[in-house]
Amino acid sequence: MRLERGRRASLALTLNFVAFAFALSAVTTSYWCEGTRKVPKPFCTGPVVKAKQWFCIRFNSSNINDTRLVQYIFESGEEKFLLRKFHTGIFFSCEQAADMNGFDCRDFFDIAPEHERGVLWLCIVAESLYLALLFTGGALMMLEQCPCFSVMNKLKISAFAAVCTALSGLCGMVAHMMFTTIFQLAVAMGPEDWRPKTWDYSWSYALAWSSFGTCMGSAVTALNRYTKTIVEFKYKRRNIAKSLLIKQKMMEKDLPDQMWDMCLTAVPADGAEARPPPPLPLNGHKPSTGAPYVVEMVGGGPEPHQGRGVYC
């Protein structure tokens, strides 16, 4: 039983640790959503190179200030546009640079619609509470493993750990749903120089919801272990109380200690073969036997019975 409780405690602590690692990785990265933006190609600057620069538009002549020359470009239709990749998190949104080397990042708070920025702040607060409560639950689970606490104190610590972990899961769920709403509003109502053409959820978003799932699994495991231990204690206490009640009733009848279970003495009846006395009853059931025996009554002579016994 102790081994089973120890395994459940280790499982709850492991799930809590995994949930905290996933949540921390998701919050500190900016890959909740990613996609592409369709933007016009900028004009190429600098000296002419032999290789064609596909990320910008170059005129047929490098001397664009000479009005006597006819300037024209070779790109047409969709070739005039460029698809830049971007990825967004709770704090930052990054987009590929103009030369397609590296990313330029800016604050996601500037991208969100003005009337929805309060919801973004609530999302950040909820994520912070999620991490704080999850860490607190894990710390309490580790503290519970300390052998210096009594069984009842360990139960109290386990209950607090389960409550903290469950509350952290609720905060995380609310925060993830808030970010989903904020991002969709930013796609529809955000600035023109940011609105994406295509987008989808990325691996940080998957990590965030995986963290929520493992967090709730840890809370359920800890709460189930606490509930099962309480039920076991109540069952043992009920059995002990029942035994004490029976002992008290026996003592009220002034019976000796040897007669607490039963006061049965079986002897062979007249004319019957001498047989060993029947075995004592087990679990309140009388043994089945066909041999007649008598029960010695207190203050009287033997009275013959057929397969019957007198119980105290």
Side-chain angles (χ1 to χ4, degrees), residues 145-211:
Q145 304 295 325
C146 182
C148 59
F149 293 102
S150 63
V151 177
M152 294 306 300
N153 289 334
K154 285 185 177 181
L155 281 178
K156 294 177 182 178
I157 294 175
S158 176
F160 280 117
V163 171
C164 289
T165 309
L167 288 178
S168 68
L170 294 178
C171 290
M173 179 185 67
V174 172
H176 304 342
M177 295 176 67
M178 282 183 177
F179 175 80
T180 304
T181 304
I182 290 294
F183 182 82
Q184 292 177 356
L185 289 175
V187 170
M189 305 170 59
E192 291 289 342
D193 61 342
W194 180 85
R195 294 182 188 178
K197 179 182 181 182
T198 60
W199 64 274
D200 200 355
Y201 298 109
S202 188
W203 56 270
S204 293
Y205 191 79
L207 274 182
W209 283 107
S210 300
S211 171

Short mmCIF file of all heavy atoms in Angstrom, two decimals, residues 145-211:
data_model
loop_
_atom_site.label_atom_id
_atom_site.label_comp_id
_atom_site.label_asym_id
_atom_site.label_seq_id
_atom_site.Cartn_x
_atom_site.Cartn_y
_atom_site.Cartn_z
N GLN A 145 7.44 14.56 0.01
CA GLN A 145 8.31 13.39 -0.01
C GLN A 145 9.28 13.36 1.17
O GLN A 145 9.92 12.34 1.42
CB GLN A 145 9.11 13.35 -1.31
CG GLN A 145 8.26 13.37 -2.57
CD GLN A 145 7.42 12.13 -2.72
OE1 GLN A 145 7.83 11.04 -2.34
NE2 GLN A 145 6.21 12.29 -3.25
N CYS A 146 9.38 14.46 1.90
CA CYS A 146 10.31 14.52 3.03
C CYS A 146 9.84 13.59 4.14
O CYS A 146 8.68 13.64 4.56
CB CYS A 146 10.41 15.95 3.53
SG CYS A 146 11.59 16.16 4.89
N PRO A 147 10.71 12.71 4.66
CA PRO A 147 10.27 11.75 5.70
C PRO A 147 10.10 12.36 7.08
O PRO A 147 9.70 11.68 8.01
CB PRO A 147 11.40 10.72 5.70
CG PRO A 147 12.61 11.48 5.24
CD PRO A 147 12.11 12.50 4.25
N CYS A 148 10.38 13.65 7.23
CA CYS A 148 10.30 14.26 8.56
C CYS A 148 8.88 14.64 8.95
O CYS A 148 8.64 15.02 10.09
CB CYS A 148 11.20 15.50 8.63
SG CYS A 148 10.79 16.77 7.43
N PHE A 149 7.92 14.52 8.04
CA PHE A 149 6.53 14.87 8.33
C PHE A 149 5.74 13.63 8.70
O PHE A 149 6.02 12.52 8.23
CB PHE A 149 5.87 15.55 7.13
CG PHE A 149 6.45 16.90 6.81
CD1 PHE A 149 7.34 17.06 5.75
CD2 PHE A 149 6.13 18.01 7.56
CE1 PHE A 149 7.88 18.28 5.44
CE2 PHE A 149 6.66 19.25 7.26
CZ PHE A 149 7.54 19.39 6.21
N SER A 150 4.72 13.84 9.52
CA SER A 150 3.83 12.74 9.88
C SER A 150 2.86 12.45 8.73
O SER A 150 2.79 13.19 7.75
CB SER A 150 3.04 13.10 11.14
OG SER A 150 2.21 14.22 10.90
N VAL A 151 2.10 11.36 8.90
CA VAL A 151 1.18 10.96 7.83
C VAL A 151 0.10 12.01 7.64
O VAL A 151 -0.25 12.37 6.50
CB VAL A 151 0.56 9.59 8.17
CG1 VAL A 151 -0.47 9.20 7.12
CG2 VAL A 151 1.64 8.53 8.26
N MET A 152 -0.45 12.54 8.70
CA MET A 152 -1.51 13.54 8.59
C MET A 152 -0.98 14.84 7.97
O MET A 152 -1.67 15.46 7.15
CB MET A 152 -2.12 13.82 9.96
CG MET A 152 -2.86 12.64 10.56
SD MET A 152 -4.12 11.96 9.45
CE MET A 152 -5.20 13.37 9.24
N ASN A 153 0.21 15.24 8.34
CA ASN A 153 0.79 16.44 7.72
C ASN A 153 1.06 16.24 6.23
O ASN A 153 0.87 17.15 5.43
CB ASN A 153 2.08 16.82 8.43
CG ASN A 153 1.84 17.38 9.82
OD1 ASN A 153 0.77 17.93 10.09
ND2 ASN A 153 2.80 17.24 10.71
N LYS A 154 1.48 15.05 5.87
CA LYS A 154 1.68 14.75 4.46
C LYS A 154 0.37 14.80 3.69
O LYS A 154 0.32 15.27 2.54
CB LYS A 154 2.32 13.37 4.29
CG LYS A 154 3.79 13.32 4.64
CD LYS A 154 4.38 11.96 4.34
CE LYS A 154 5.88 11.93 4.64
NZ LYS A 154 6.48 10.61 4.33
N LEU A 155 -0.71 14.34 4.31
CA LEU A 155 -2.02 14.41 3.67
C LEU A 155 -2.44 15.86 3.45
O LEU A 155 -2.99 16.21 2.39
CB LEU A 155 -3.07 13.68 4.51
CG LEU A 155 -3.08 12.16 4.40
CD1 LEU A 155 -4.14 11.58 5.32
CD2 LEU A 155 -3.34 11.72 2.97
N LYS A 156 -2.21 16.71 4.44
CA LYS A 156 -2.55 18.13 4.29
C LYS A 156 -1.74 18.78 3.17
O LYS A 156 -2.27 19.53 2.34
CB LYS A 156 -2.32 18.86 5.60
CG LYS A 156 -3.26 18.43 6.72
CD LYS A 156 -2.92 19.15 8.03
CE LYS A 156 -3.83 18.68 9.17
NZ LYS A 156 -3.48 19.35 10.45
N ILE A 157 -0.45 18.46 3.12
CA ILE A 157 0.40 19.02 2.06
C ILE A 157 -0.06 18.51 0.69
O ILE A 157 -0.10 19.28 -0.29
CB ILE A 157 1.87 18.65 2.32
CG1 ILE A 157 2.37 19.33 3.60
CG2 ILE A 157 2.74 19.05 1.14
CD1 ILE A 157 3.77 18.92 4.00
N SER A 158 -0.43 17.24 0.63
CA SER A 158 -0.92 16.68 -0.64
C SER A 158 -2.19 17.36 -1.10
O SER A 158 -2.38 17.64 -2.29
CB SER A 158 -1.15 15.17 -0.48
OG SER A 158 -1.69 14.62 -1.66
N ALA A 159 -3.09 17.67 -0.16
CA ALA A 159 -4.33 18.36 -0.52
C ALA A 159 -4.04 19.76 -1.06
O ALA A 159 -4.61 20.18 -2.08
CB ALA A 159 -5.25 18.43 0.70
N PHE A 160 -3.16 20.51 -0.39
CA PHE A 160 -2.81 21.85 -0.87
C PHE A 160 -2.14 21.78 -2.24
O PHE A 160 -2.39 22.63 -3.11
CB PHE A 160 -1.89 22.54 0.13
CG PHE A 160 -2.62 23.12 1.31
CD1 PHE A 160 -2.38 22.66 2.59
CD2 PHE A 160 -3.55 24.13 1.13
CE1 PHE A 160 -3.05 23.20 3.68
CE2 PHE A 160 -4.23 24.67 2.21
CZ PHE A 160 -3.99 24.21 3.49
N ALA A 161 -1.29 20.78 -2.45
CA ALA A 161 -0.63 20.64 -3.75
C ALA A 161 -1.64 20.36 -4.86
O ALA A 161 -1.54 20.92 -5.96
CB ALA A 161 0.41 19.51 -3.68
N ALA A 162 -2.60 19.49 -4.58
CA ALA A 162 -3.62 19.18 -5.59
C ALA A 162 -4.46 20.41 -5.92
O ALA A 162 -4.76 20.68 -7.09
CB ALA A 162 -4.52 18.05 -5.09
N VAL A 163 -4.83 21.20 -4.91
CA VAL A 163 -5.63 22.40 -5.14
C VAL A 163 -4.85 23.43 -5.96
O VAL A 163 -5.36 24.02 -6.92
CB VAL A 163 -6.09 23.00 -3.80
CG1 VAL A 163 -6.73 24.36 -4.01
CG2 VAL A 163 -7.09 22.08 -3.12
N CYS A 164 -3.57 23.65 -5.60
CA CYS A 164 -2.75 24.61 -6.35
C CYS A 164 -2.57 24.17 -7.81
O CYS A 164 -2.65 25.00 -8.73
CB CYS A 164 -1.38 24.76 -5.69
SG CYS A 164 -1.42 25.66 -4.12
N THR A 165 -2.35 22.89 -8.02
CA THR A 165 -2.16 22.41 -9.39
C THR A 165 -3.44 22.53 -10.20
O THR A 165 -3.40 22.91 -11.38
CB THR A 165 -1.68 20.94 -9.36
OG1 THR A 165 -0.56 20.82 -8.48
CG2 THR A 165 -1.28 20.48 -10.74
N ALA A 166 -4.59 22.22 -9.59
CA ALA A 166 -5.86 22.36 -10.31
C ALA A 166 -6.15 23.82 -10.65
O ALA A 166 -6.59 24.14 -11.77
CB ALA A 166 -6.98 21.76 -9.48
N LEU A 167 -5.90 24.72 -9.71
CA LEU A 167 -6.12 26.15 -9.98
C LEU A 167 -5.19 26.66 -11.07
O LEU A 167 -5.59 27.48 -11.91
CB LEU A 167 -5.92 26.95 -8.70
CG LEU A 167 -7.01 26.81 -7.63
CD1 LEU A 167 -6.65 27.62 -6.39
CD2 LEU A 167 -8.37 27.25 -8.17
N SER A 168 -3.96 26.18 -11.07
CA SER A 168 -3.03 26.60 -12.12
C SER A 168 -3.51 26.12 -13.49
O SER A 168 -3.38 26.86 -14.48
CB SER A 168 -1.63 26.05 -11.83
OG SER A 168 -1.60 24.64 -11.97
N GLY A 169 -4.06 24.93 -13.55
CA GLY A 169 -4.59 24.44 -14.82
C GLY A 169 -5.73 25.31 -15.34
O GLY A 169 -5.81 25.60 -16.54
N LEU A 170 -6.61 25.75 -14.45
CA LEU A 170 -7.71 26.63 -14.86
C LEU A 170 -7.18 27.97 -15.36
O LEU A 170 -7.65 28.50 -16.38
CB LEU A 170 -8.67 26.84 -13.69
CG LEU A 170 -9.44 25.59 -13.22
CD1 LEU A 170 -10.31 25.94 -12.03
CD2 LEU A 170 -10.29 25.03 -14.36
N CYS A 171 -6.19 28.53 -14.67
CA CYS A 171 -5.59 29.79 -15.12
C CYS A 171 -4.93 29.63 -16.49
O CYS A 171 -5.04 30.50 -17.36
CB CYS A 171 -4.57 30.29 -14.11
SG CYS A 171 -5.28 30.86 -12.55
N GLY A 172 -4.24 28.51 -16.69
CA GLY A 172 -3.61 28.27 -17.98
C GLY A 172 -4.60 28.14 -19.10
O GLY A 172 -4.40 28.68 -20.20
N MET A 173 -5.71 27.45 -18.85
CA MET A 173 -6.74 27.29 -19.89
C MET A 173 -7.32 28.65 -20.28
O MET A 173 -7.48 28.95 -21.48
CB MET A 173 -7.84 26.37 -19.38
CG MET A 173 -8.97 26.15 -20.37
SD MET A 173 -10.31 25.16 -19.69
CE MET A 173 -10.94 26.29 -18.44
N VAL A 174 -7.62 29.49 -19.28
CA VAL A 174 -8.16 30.82 -19.57
C VAL A 174 -7.15 31.66 -20.36
O VAL A 174 -7.51 32.36 -21.32
CB VAL A 174 -8.56 31.52 -18.26
CG1 VAL A 174 -8.94 32.97 -18.51
CG2 VAL A 174 -9.72 30.79 -17.60
N ALA A 175 -5.88 31.60 -19.98
CA ALA A 175 -4.85 32.38 -20.67
C ALA A 175 -4.70 31.94 -22.12
O ALA A 175 -4.60 32.78 -23.03
CB ALA A 175 -3.52 32.24 -19.94
N HIS A 176 -4.70 30.63 -22.38
CA HIS A 176 -4.55 30.14 -23.75
C HIS A 176 -5.74 30.57 -24.61
O HIS A 176 -5.57 30.96 -25.78
CB HIS A 176 -4.42 28.62 -23.76
CG HIS A 176 -3.29 28.11 -22.92
ND1 HIS A 176 -2.25 28.91 -22.51
CD2 HIS A 176 -3.04 26.86 -22.41
CE1 HIS A 176 -1.39 28.20 -21.80
NE2 HIS A 176 -1.85 26.96 -21.73
N MET A 177 -6.94 30.50 -24.05
CA MET A 177 -8.12 30.91 -24.81
C MET A 177 -8.11 32.41 -25.07
O MET A 177 -8.52 32.86 -26.16
CB MET A 177 -9.38 30.51 -24.05
CG MET A 177 -9.57 29.01 -23.92
SD MET A 177 -10.99 28.55 -22.92
CE MET A 177 -12.32 29.15 -23.95
N MET A 178 -7.63 33.20 -24.12
CA MET A 178 -7.54 34.65 -24.34
C MET A 178 -6.56 34.97 -25.47
O MET A 178 -6.85 35.82 -26.33
CB MET A 178 -7.08 35.33 -23.05
CG MET A 178 -8.15 35.50 -22.01
SD MET A 178 -7.53 36.40 -20.56
CE MET A 178 -9.03 36.49 -19.59
N PHE A 179 -5.40 34.30 -25.48
CA PHE A 179 -4.44 34.57 -26.56
C PHE A 179 -5.03 34.18 -27.91
O PHE A 179 -4.81 34.89 -28.92
CB PHE A 179 -3.14 33.81 -26.32
CG PHE A 179 -2.17 33.95 -27.46
CD1 PHE A 179 -1.39 35.09 -27.57
CD2 PHE A 179 -2.06 32.96 -28.43
CE1 PHE A 179 -0.50 35.24 -28.63
CE2 PHE A 179 -1.18 33.11 -29.49
CZ PHE A 179 -0.40 34.25 -29.60
N THR A 180 -5.73 33.08 -27.97
CA THR A 180 -6.35 32.67 -29.24
C THR A 180 -7.30 33.74 -29.74
O THR A 180 -7.30 34.10 -30.93
CB THR A 180 -7.09 31.34 -29.05
OG1 THR A 180 -6.19 30.36 -28.53
CG2 THR A 180 -7.66 30.85 -30.36
N THR A 181 -8.11 34.30 -28.85
CA THR A 181 -9.05 35.35 -29.24
C THR A 181 -8.32 36.61 -29.68
O THR A 181 -8.66 37.23 -30.71
CB THR A 181 -9.99 35.67 -28.07
OG1 THR A 181 -10.65 34.47 -27.66
CG2 THR A 181 -11.02 36.70 -28.47
N ILE A 182 -7.29 37.02 -28.93
CA ILE A 182 -6.54 38.23 -29.26
C ILE A 182 -5.86 38.10 -30.62
O ILE A 182 -5.88 39.02 -31.45
CB ILE A 182 -5.49 38.52 -28.16
CG1 ILE A 182 -6.18 38.96 -26.89
CG2 ILE A 182 -4.52 39.58 -28.62
CD1 ILE A 182 -6.88 40.28 -27.00
N PHE A 183 -5.28 36.95 -30.90
CA PHE A 183 -4.58 36.78 -32.17
C PHE A 183 -5.55 36.82 -33.34
O PHE A 183 -5.27 37.44 -34.38
CB PHE A 183 -3.80 35.47 -32.17
CG PHE A 183 -3.01 35.26 -33.43
CD1 PHE A 183 -1.77 35.87 -33.59
CD2 PHE A 183 -3.49 34.46 -34.45
CE1 PHE A 183 -1.04 35.69 -34.74
CE2 PHE A 183 -2.77 34.28 -35.61
CZ PHE A 183 -1.54 34.89 -35.76
N GLN A 184 -6.68 36.17 -33.21
CA GLN A 184 -7.67 36.20 -34.30
C GLN A 184 -8.20 37.60 -34.55
O GLN A 184 -8.43 38.00 -35.70
CB GLN A 184 -8.80 35.23 -33.98
CG GLN A 184 -8.38 33.77 -34.00
CD GLN A 184 -9.50 32.83 -33.62
OE1 GLN A 184 -10.59 33.26 -33.25
NE2 GLN A 184 -9.23 31.53 -33.69
N LEU A 185 -8.38 38.39 -33.49
CA LEU A 185 -8.80 39.78 -33.66
C LEU A 185 -7.70 40.61 -34.32
O LEU A 185 -7.97 41.50 -35.13
CB LEU A 185 -9.18 40.39 -32.31
CG LEU A 185 -10.48 39.89 -31.69
CD1 LEU A 185 -10.67 40.47 -30.29
CD2 LEU A 185 -11.68 40.25 -32.58
N ALA A 186 -6.44 40.32 -33.96
CA ALA A 186 -5.33 41.04 -34.59
C ALA A 186 -5.24 40.72 -36.08
O ALA A 186 -4.91 41.59 -36.90
CB ALA A 186 -4.03 40.70 -33.89
N VAL A 187 -5.53 39.48 -36.46
CA VAL A 187 -5.51 39.11 -37.87
C VAL A 187 -6.58 39.88 -38.65
O VAL A 187 -6.35 40.34 -39.78
CB VAL A 187 -5.71 37.60 -38.03
CG1 VAL A 187 -5.95 37.22 -39.48
CG2 VAL A 187 -4.51 36.84 -37.49
N ALA A 188 -7.74 40.07 -38.02
CA ALA A 188 -8.84 40.74 -38.71
C ALA A 188 -8.77 42.26 -38.62
O ALA A 188 -9.18 42.96 -39.56
CB ALA A 188 -10.17 40.25 -38.15
N MET A 189 -8.25 42.79 -37.50
CA MET A 189 -8.33 44.22 -37.26
C MET A 189 -6.97 44.85 -36.97
O MET A 189 -6.90 46.02 -36.60
CB MET A 189 -9.26 44.49 -36.07
CG MET A 189 -10.63 43.88 -36.22
SD MET A 189 -11.61 43.95 -34.71
CE MET A 189 -11.66 45.71 -34.43
N GLY A 190 -5.90 44.12 -37.13
CA GLY A 190 -4.58 44.63 -36.83
C GLY A 190 -4.08 45.61 -37.89
O GLY A 190 -4.77 45.92 -38.87
N PRO A 191 -2.87 46.13 -37.74
CA PRO A 191 -2.32 47.08 -38.72
C PRO A 191 -2.12 46.43 -40.08
O PRO A 191 -1.89 45.22 -40.20
CB PRO A 191 -0.98 47.49 -38.08
CG PRO A 191 -0.65 46.40 -37.11
CD PRO A 191 -1.95 45.88 -36.62
N GLU A 192 -2.20 47.27 -41.11
CA GLU A 192 -2.11 46.75 -42.48
C GLU A 192 -0.74 46.15 -42.77
O GLU A 192 -0.62 45.22 -43.57
CB GLU A 192 -2.40 47.88 -43.47
CG GLU A 192 -3.85 48.35 -43.47
CD GLU A 192 -4.79 47.34 -44.06
OE1 GLU A 192 -4.32 46.44 -44.78
OE2 GLU A 192 -6.01 47.43 -43.80
N ASP A 193 0.29 46.70 -42.15
CA ASP A 193 1.63 46.21 -42.44
C ASP A 193 1.97 44.93 -41.65
O ASP A 193 3.13 44.52 -41.63
CB ASP A 193 2.67 47.29 -42.13
CG ASP A 193 2.65 47.70 -40.66
OD1 ASP A 193 1.65 47.40 -39.98
OD2 ASP A 193 3.64 48.29 -40.21
N TRP A 194 0.96 44.35 -41.02
CA TRP A 194 1.22 43.11 -40.27
C TRP A 194 0.26 41.98 -40.64
O TRP A 194 0.61 40.80 -40.47
CB TRP A 194 1.10 43.37 -38.77
CG TRP A 194 1.35 42.13 -37.95
CD1 TRP A 194 2.55 41.65 -37.53
CD2 TRP A 194 0.36 41.21 -37.48
NE1 TRP A 194 2.37 40.48 -36.84
CE2 TRP A 194 1.02 40.18 -36.78
CE3 TRP A 194 -1.04 41.15 -37.59
CZ2 TRP A 194 0.36 39.12 -36.20
CZ3 TRP A 194 -1.70 40.09 -37.01
CH2 TRP A 194 -1.01 39.09 -36.31
N ARG A 195 -0.91 42.29 -41.13
CA ARG A 195 -1.93 41.27 -41.35
C ARG A 195 -1.40 40.15 -42.25
O ARG A 195 -0.90 40.39 -43.34
CB ARG A 195 -3.18 41.88 -41.99
CG ARG A 195 -3.91 42.85 -41.09
CD ARG A 195 -5.16 43.37 -41.75
NE ARG A 195 -5.76 44.45 -40.97
CZ ARG A 195 -6.85 45.11 -41.34
NH1 ARG A 195 -7.43 44.81 -42.50
NH2 ARG A 195 -7.33 46.08 -40.59
N PRO A 196 -1.50 38.91 -41.78
CA PRO A 196 -0.95 37.78 -42.57
C PRO A 196 -1.90 37.32 -43.67
O PRO A 196 -3.11 37.54 -43.61
CB PRO A 196 -0.76 36.70 -41.51
CG PRO A 196 -1.83 36.98 -40.50
CD PRO A 196 -2.00 38.47 -40.47
N LYS A 197 -1.31 36.70 -44.68
CA LYS A 197 -2.12 36.08 -45.73
C LYS A 197 -2.54 34.68 -45.32
O LYS A 197 -3.69 34.30 -45.48
CB LYS A 197 -1.32 36.03 -47.04
CG LYS A 197 -2.08 35.38 -48.18
CD LYS A 197 -1.26 35.29 -49.44
CE LYS A 197 -2.07 34.65 -50.57
NZ LYS A 197 -1.27 34.52 -51.81
N THR A 198 -1.61 33.90 -44.79
CA THR A 198 -1.91 32.56 -44.27
C THR A 198 -1.27 32.42 -42.90
O THR A 198 -0.21 33.00 -42.63
CB THR A 198 -1.35 31.47 -45.20
OG1 THR A 198 0.07 31.62 -45.31
CG2 THR A 198 -1.97 31.55 -46.58
N TRP A 199 -1.92 31.68 -42.02
CA TRP A 199 -1.36 31.46 -40.69
C TRP A 199 -1.94 30.18 -40.11
O TRP A 199 -2.98 29.68 -40.55
CB TRP A 199 -1.65 32.64 -39.76
CG TRP A 199 -3.11 32.84 -39.47
CD1 TRP A 199 -4.01 33.55 -40.21
CD2 TRP A 199 -3.83 32.30 -38.36
NE1 TRP A 199 -5.25 33.51 -39.64
CE2 TRP A 199 -5.17 32.74 -38.50
CE3 TRP A 199 -3.50 31.51 -37.28
CZ2 TRP A 199 -6.17 32.41 -37.58
CZ3 TRP A 199 -4.49 31.17 -36.37
CH2 TRP A 199 -5.80 31.62 -36.53
N ASP A 200 -1.24 29.66 -39.12
CA ASP A 200 -1.70 28.46 -38.42
C ASP A 200 -1.00 28.42 -37.06
O ASP A 200 -0.01 29.13 -36.82
CB ASP A 200 -1.37 27.21 -39.22
CG ASP A 200 -2.24 26.02 -38.80
OD1 ASP A 200 -3.01 26.17 -37.81
OD2 ASP A 200 -2.15 24.95 -39.43
N TYR A 201 -1.52 27.59 -36.16
CA TYR A 201 -0.90 27.44 -34.85
C TYR A 201 0.38 26.62 -34.97
O TYR A 201 0.47 25.70 -35.78
CB TYR A 201 -1.88 26.77 -33.88
CG TYR A 201 -3.14 27.58 -33.66
CD1 TYR A 201 -4.35 27.15 -34.18
CD2 TYR A 201 -3.11 28.77 -32.94
CE1 TYR A 201 -5.51 27.90 -33.99
CE2 TYR A 201 -4.24 29.51 -32.75
CZ TYR A 201 -5.46 29.07 -33.29
OH TYR A 201 -6.58 29.82 -33.09
N SER A 202 1.35 26.95 -34.11
CA SER A 202 2.66 26.33 -34.20
C SER A 202 2.96 25.50 -32.95
O SER A 202 2.10 25.26 -32.11
CB SER A 202 3.72 27.40 -34.41
OG SER A 202 4.98 26.83 -34.69
N TRP A 203 4.22 25.11 -32.81
CA TRP A 203 4.59 24.13 -31.78
C TRP A 203 4.51 24.72 -30.37
O TRP A 203 4.25 23.99 -29.41
CB TRP A 203 5.99 23.59 -32.04
CG TRP A 203 7.08 24.61 -32.14
CD1 TRP A 203 7.51 25.25 -33.26
CD2 TRP A 203 7.88 25.12 -31.07
NE1 TRP A 203 8.54 26.12 -32.97
CE2 TRP A 203 8.79 26.06 -31.63
CE3 TRP A 203 7.94 24.86 -29.71
CZ2 TRP A 203 9.73 26.74 -30.86
CZ3 TRP A 203 8.88 25.55 -28.93
CH2 TRP A 203 9.76 26.47 -29.50
N SER A 204 4.72 26.02 -30.21
CA SER A 204 4.58 26.61 -28.87
C SER A 204 3.14 26.54 -28.39
O SER A 204 2.88 26.32 -27.20
CB SER A 204 5.05 28.07 -28.89
OG SER A 204 6.44 28.16 -29.11
N TYR A 205 2.21 26.72 -29.30
CA TYR A 205 0.79 26.62 -28.95
C TYR A 205 0.46 25.19 -28.53
O TYR A 205 -0.28 24.97 -27.56
CB TYR A 205 -0.05 27.03 -30.15
CG TYR A 205 -1.51 27.23 -29.87
CD1 TYR A 205 -1.98 28.39 -29.27
CD2 TYR A 205 -2.44 26.26 -30.23
CE1 TYR A 205 -3.33 28.58 -29.03
CE2 TYR A 205 -3.78 26.43 -29.99
CZ TYR A 205 -4.22 27.59 -29.39
OH TYR A 205 -5.57 27.77 -29.15
N ALA A 206 1.02 24.21 -29.25
CA ALA A 206 0.81 22.81 -28.88
C ALA A 206 1.44 22.50 -27.52
O ALA A 206 0.87 21.76 -26.71
CB ALA A 206 1.39 21.90 -29.95
N LEU A 207 2.62 23.08 -27.26
CA LEU A 207 3.26 22.88 -25.95
C LEU A 207 2.40 23.46 -24.83
O LEU A 207 2.30 22.87 -23.75
CB LEU A 207 4.63 23.54 -25.94
CG LEU A 207 5.83 22.73 -26.47
CD1 LEU A 207 7.10 23.56 -26.32
CD2 LEU A 207 5.97 21.41 -25.76
N ALA A 208 1.78 24.61 -25.08
CA ALA A 208 0.97 25.25 -24.05
C ALA A 208 -0.22 24.36 -23.67
O ALA A 208 -0.50 24.15 -22.48
CB ALA A 208 0.49 26.61 -24.54
N TRP A 209 -0.91 23.82 -24.67
CA TRP A 209 -2.07 22.97 -24.35
C TRP A 209 -1.64 21.60 -23.82
O TRP A 209 -2.35 21.00 -23.02
CB TRP A 209 -2.95 22.82 -25.58
CG TRP A 209 -3.80 24.03 -25.82
CD1 TRP A 209 -3.63 24.96 -26.81
CD2 TRP A 209 -4.92 24.45 -25.04
NE1 TRP A 209 -4.59 25.94 -26.69
CE2 TRP A 209 -5.39 25.66 -25.63
CE3 TRP A 209 -5.56 23.95 -23.93
CZ2 TRP A 209 -6.49 26.35 -25.12
CZ3 TRP A 209 -6.66 24.65 -23.42
CH2 TRP A 209 -7.11 25.83 -24.00
N SER A 210 -0.48 21.12 -24.24
CA SER A 210 0.04 19.88 -23.65
C SER A 210 0.38 20.10 -22.18
O SER A 210 0.15 19.21 -21.34
CB SER A 210 1.28 19.42 -24.41
OG SER A 210 0.99 19.16 -25.76
N SER A 211 0.90 21.27 -21.87
CA SER A 211 1.18 21.60 -20.48
C SER A 211 -0.10 21.61 -19.66
O SER A 211 -0.13 21.13 -18.51
CB SER A 211 1.87 22.96 -20.41
OG SER A 211 1.98 23.41 -19.08
#
